Amino acid sequence: MVTRCFAMLKPGVLNRRLVGEVISRLERKGLKLVGLKLMQISPELASKHYAEHEGKSFYQDLVSYITSAPVVAMVWQGDDCVNLVRKIVGATKPSDAQPGTIRGDFCLHTNHNVIHASDSDSSAEREIGLFFDEKELIDWKDNAEEYY
């Protein structure tokens, strides 16, 4: 079943010039990019995005990091998209992330994680709605779909 997943490249990816490398890993899997934008997140948007963590000891660090520099917001589409993206991204805790995953290869500290990815279809729907208007998403004809 074709679904969508929200993913966000955090400030560390931009500062380290890794945007193309990370996007290419998702593309090579065969996922289809249907939304993409470079943006500076406001504290208000960050608080909505991280609402589930409000009151936790690391909440303010999350908001401070995500608003410290631009991010790349993305929407990916494909069969079982959330599960596939999560596998490519790797475990949240860097010491648990396997080599070959995005976090396993590029992340040392959880509080400076390099990428966010939706953890469920319902989270994906909520997060996509926070960062994109429906008119900003383009479900284009992918002629390569038959090869994956």
Side-chain angles (χ1 to χ4, degrees):
M1 181 171 138
V2 174
T3 58
R4 288 180 172 171
C5 182
F6 175 76
M8 177 175 35
L9 304 183
K10 295 185 179 183
V13 172
L14 279 82
N15 283 294
R16 293 169 59 197
R17 312 304 195 264
L18 296 170
V19 172
E21 169 72 23
V22 173
I23 289 174
S24 72
R25 290 181 181 212
L26 295 162
E27 284 183 317
R28 285 191 310 243
K29 183 66 176 178
L31 297 170
K32 181 167 55 169
L33 184 62
V34 297
L36 174 75
K37 62 177 149 179
L38 178 69
M39 62 188 299
Q40 182 73 47
I41 297 179
S42 68
E44 295 77 26
L45 179 55
S47 67
K48 288 178 186 175
H49 179 65
Y50 288 127
E52 66 195 54
H53 299 301
E54 192 170 357
K56 295 178 182 173
S57 62
F58 55 86
Y59 173 78
Q60 192 53 54
D61 288 339
L62 283 174
V63 171
S64 294
Y65 177 51
I66 208 68
T67 59
S68 68
V71 301
V72 176
M74 304 174 290
V75 179
W76 293 91
Q77 184 172 295
D79 292 337
D80 199 19
C81 193
V82 169
N83 287 325
L84 285 175
V85 170
R86 297 289 297 179
K87 287 182 189 284
I88 295 165
V89 166
T92 302
K93 186 176 177 185
S95 60
D96 293 338
Q98 295 294 311
T101 65
I102 293 166
R103 290 177 178 149
D105 290 349
F106 301 120
C107 188
L108 283 175
H109 306 284
T110 303
N111 61 342
H112 283 154
N113 214 324
V114 296
I115 188 169
H116 166 84
S118 301
D119 61 6
S120 67
D121 289 337
S122 60
S123 289
E125 186 177 331
R126 182 183 75 79
E127 293 168 346
I128 291 167
L130 285 174
F131 289 87
F132 289 88
D133 291 328
E134 187 60 37
K135 67 181 185 225
E136 295 177 298
L137 303 176
I138 302 169
D139 186 8
W140 49 280
K141 172 67 175 138
D142 185 355
N143 293 321
E145 285 178 337
E146 64 190 81
Y147 299 105
Y148 289 98

